[in-house]
């Protein structure tokens, strides 16, 4: 039986995996190193996190989002972004990094990838600072200022990457940046290429040049029109691929250059009244239509969990079942 790590590489190479890669099983996430994710609020609470962004998690909602009224919006005028935007200090002291280092040292790297998690991504940071509407309009109305802001955010990510690599020597990067809705990307491919492709080529190129073997990019959205750019920037696995992307078609077209992780929509399964039989149906559909190579069956949620207890574990059980059915002849 292959290790989790070996089975993952066989899947990515189009080789001979002996089972489906089971969601996030190959990634051991070192959450203690995710400085920019610190201070996110609990359900029903509000908090101020990195970059001065105020986050609110309303009761009854499934997650937090930045507050963008005039009082709380960080970036009020893109042409004066230097006045408003200040990158957080990246800690380098041993005490802060001790939990992350201890966690990384405890991982069996023959079995799993020590994985750094980075979020929010560059595009998300632009609209977290000033709202989605302001960020999208600024790309058209003030492109020079937006390029400057994106460069500033990119330099922060690179500085952060340097410290992470020195401290925990990750094997993989799991990077969040949602690039679309369920039905389309937020930006046209032309705009994405102009503003964000150079940033990600720098960021992912730096990680790869410094020993990180695997780049996993999370965008639980439609982004099929951006796959060529993902390949160009060095993404090995696109996680969060919703069924609206036509995953089998993407595998046929790009398999061997990138692997697709998802095709099991969280919005369809991860519900208060979730049903095991619904999970079984969705997992079987995904596995049979997407096949054994260049595909990892996974909920589209950006982490090894579900909103409602039991859904993630049930999907794992169903993936095990499909591995028995589809790999039994090997």
């Amino acid at each position: 039986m292959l290790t989790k790590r070996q089975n993952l590489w066989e899947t990515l190479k189009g080789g001979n995996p002996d089972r489906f890669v089971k969601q996030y099983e190959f990634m051991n996430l070192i959450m203690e190193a995710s400085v920019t994710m610190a201070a996110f609020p609990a359900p029903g609470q509000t908090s101020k996190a990195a970059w001065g962004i105020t986050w609110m998690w309303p009761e009854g909602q499934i997650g937090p989002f930045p507050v963008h009224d005039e009082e709380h919006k960080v970036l009020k005028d893109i042409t004066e972004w230097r006045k408003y935007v200040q990158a957080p200090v990246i800690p380098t002291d041993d005490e802060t990094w001790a939990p992350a280092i201890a966690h990384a040292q405890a991982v069996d790297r023959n079995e799993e990838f020590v994985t750094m998690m980075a979020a929010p991504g560059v595009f998300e940071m632009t609209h977290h600072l000033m709202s989605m509407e302001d960020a999208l309009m600024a790309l058209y109305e003030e492109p020079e200022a937006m390029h400057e802001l994106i460069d500033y955010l990119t330099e922060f990510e690179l500085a952060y990457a340097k410290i992470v690599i020195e401290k925990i020597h990750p094997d993989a990067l799991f990077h969040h940046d949602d690039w679309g809705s369920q039905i389309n990307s937020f930006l046209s491919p032309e705009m994405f290429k102009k503003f964000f492709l150079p940033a990600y080529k720098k960021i992912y190129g730096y990680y790869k040049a410094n020993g990180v073997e695997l780049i996993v990019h999370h965008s639980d959205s439609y982004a099929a029109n951006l796959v060529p750019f993902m390949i160009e920037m060095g993404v090995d696995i696109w996680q969060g691929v919703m069924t609206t992307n036509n995953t089998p078609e993407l595998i046929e077209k790009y398999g061997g250059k990138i692997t697709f992780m998802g095709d099991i929509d969280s919005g369809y399964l991860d519900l208060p009244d979730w049903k095991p039989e619904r999970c079984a149906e969705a997992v079987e559909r995904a596995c049979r239509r997407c096949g054994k190579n260049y595909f990892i069956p996974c909920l589209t949620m950006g982490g090894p969990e579900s909103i409602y207890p039991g859904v993630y574990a049930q999907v794992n059980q169903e993936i095990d079942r499909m591995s028995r059915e589809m790999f039994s002849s090997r």
Side-chain angles (χ1 to χ4, degrees):
M1 182 176 177
L2 298 173
T3 66
K4 294 175 186 177
R5 192 172 179 132
Q6 290 169 338
N7 196 56
L8 184 278
W9 283 126
E10 289 296 315
T11 301
L12 268 60
K13 293 186 304 181
N16 292 293
D18 60 17
R19 61 196 183 277
F20 282 112
V21 176
K22 190 164 55 180
Q23 303 203 87
Y24 287 87
E25 66 174 359
F26 62 97
M27 283 191 277
N28 197 311
L29 293 170
I30 313 298
M31 300 296 293
E32 300 90 341
S34 297
V35 176
T36 56
M37 296 181 67
F40 275 19
Q45 296 183 356
T46 300
S47 67
K48 182 170 285 190
W51 301 85
I53 297 168
T54 300
W55 290 80
M56 178 182 292
W57 191 331
E59 291 283 359
Q61 298 300 312
I62 62 174
F65 206 76
V67 180
H68 287 135
D69 57 29
E70 282 305 307
E71 178 185 354
H72 295 97
K73 188 185 296 185
V74 174
L75 180 48
K76 303 179 189 300
D77 182 348
I78 182 59
T79 65
E80 296 188 302
W81 68 267
R82 290 180 181 85
K83 172 182 174 182
Y84 296 104
V85 179
Q86 179 62 52
V89 175
I90 303 169
T92 59
D93 61 285
D94 293 341
E95 182 179 356
T96 298
W97 284 92
I101 293 170
H103 185 168
Q105 289 176 343
V107 176
D108 179 358
R109 294 182 187 242
N110 293 315
E111 184 72 25
E112 299 173 328
F113 292 82
V114 170
T115 305
M116 171 59 199
M117 182 169 178
V122 180
F123 172 71
E124 288 177 333
M125 278 299 306
T126 64
H127 67 79
H128 286 183
L129 288 166
M130 57 175 148
S131 84
M132 179 68 81
E133 294 85 351
D134 288 357
L136 294 179
M137 289 296 293
L139 293 168
Y140 287 94
E141 295 180 341
E142 299 292 344
E144 183 177 345
M146 281 297 283
H147 276 298
E148 292 172 355
L149 176 61
I150 290 166
D151 287 345
Y152 184 74
L153 297 172
T154 301
E155 289 305 312
F156 173 81
E157 284 229 18
L158 292 171
Y160 190 32
K162 183 177 185 295
I163 300 301
V164 168
I165 289 165
E166 289 175 356
K167 297 292 186 179
I168 67 171
H169 310 290
D171 307 306
L173 171 69
F174 181 47
H175 197 288
H176 274 229
D177 206 10
D178 291 334
W179 290 336
S181 68
Q182 293 186 44
I183 60 174
N184 210 340
S185 57
F186 293 128
L187 303 179
S188 69
E190 294 77 15
M191 290 287 282
F192 184 90
K193 180 180 181 179
K194 179 179 178 181
F195 285 95
F196 293 100
L197 178 61
Y200 273 103
K201 288 178 76 170
K202 289 180 184 177
I203 294 166
Y204 291 162
Y206 183 86
Y207 277 102
K208 285 285 184 76
N210 286 277
V212 175
E213 302 173 62
L214 194 68
I215 303 292
V216 184
H217 185 97
H218 163 83
S219 180
D220 52 345
S221 64
Y222 179 89
N225 56 345
L226 304 180
V227 170
F229 300 136
M230 294 188 207
I231 295 167
E232 185 176 347
M233 67 179 66
V235 173
D236 298 292
I237 300 171
W238 170 19
Q239 190 280 324
V241 186
M242 304 184 79
T243 56
T244 51
N245 288 281
N246 193 342
T247 315
E249 183 178 271
L250 291 175
I251 293 169
E252 182 177 356
K253 188 172 183 179
Y254 299 108
K257 298 179 180 178
I258 189 171
T259 288
F260 301 92
M261 182 173 174
D263 208 62
I264 305 172
D265 293 346
S266 292
Y268 177 74
L269 300 181
D270 197 359
L271 305 169
D273 59 344
W274 69 273
K275 303 289 193 300
E277 57 270 22
R278 200 172 171 96
C279 293
E281 171 198 5
V283 171
E284 179 160 352
R285 175 180 180 271
C287 292
R288 293 200 183 281
R289 83 189 197 118
C290 294
K292 300 174 182 179
N293 284 317
Y294 316 123
F295 172 65
I296 300 170
C298 185
L299 286 165
T300 49
M301 187 166 178
E305 58 187 350
S306 53
I307 299 297
Y308 298 99
V311 177
Y312 187 84
Q314 186 65 42
V315 168
N316 274 344
Q317 289 184 34
E318 298 302 336
I319 294 171
D320 283 338
R321 176 177 65 85
M322 292 311 301
S323 286
R324 291 192 296 271
E325 290 189 16
M326 294 182 64
F327 289 82
S328 58
S329 62
R330 294 197 173 185

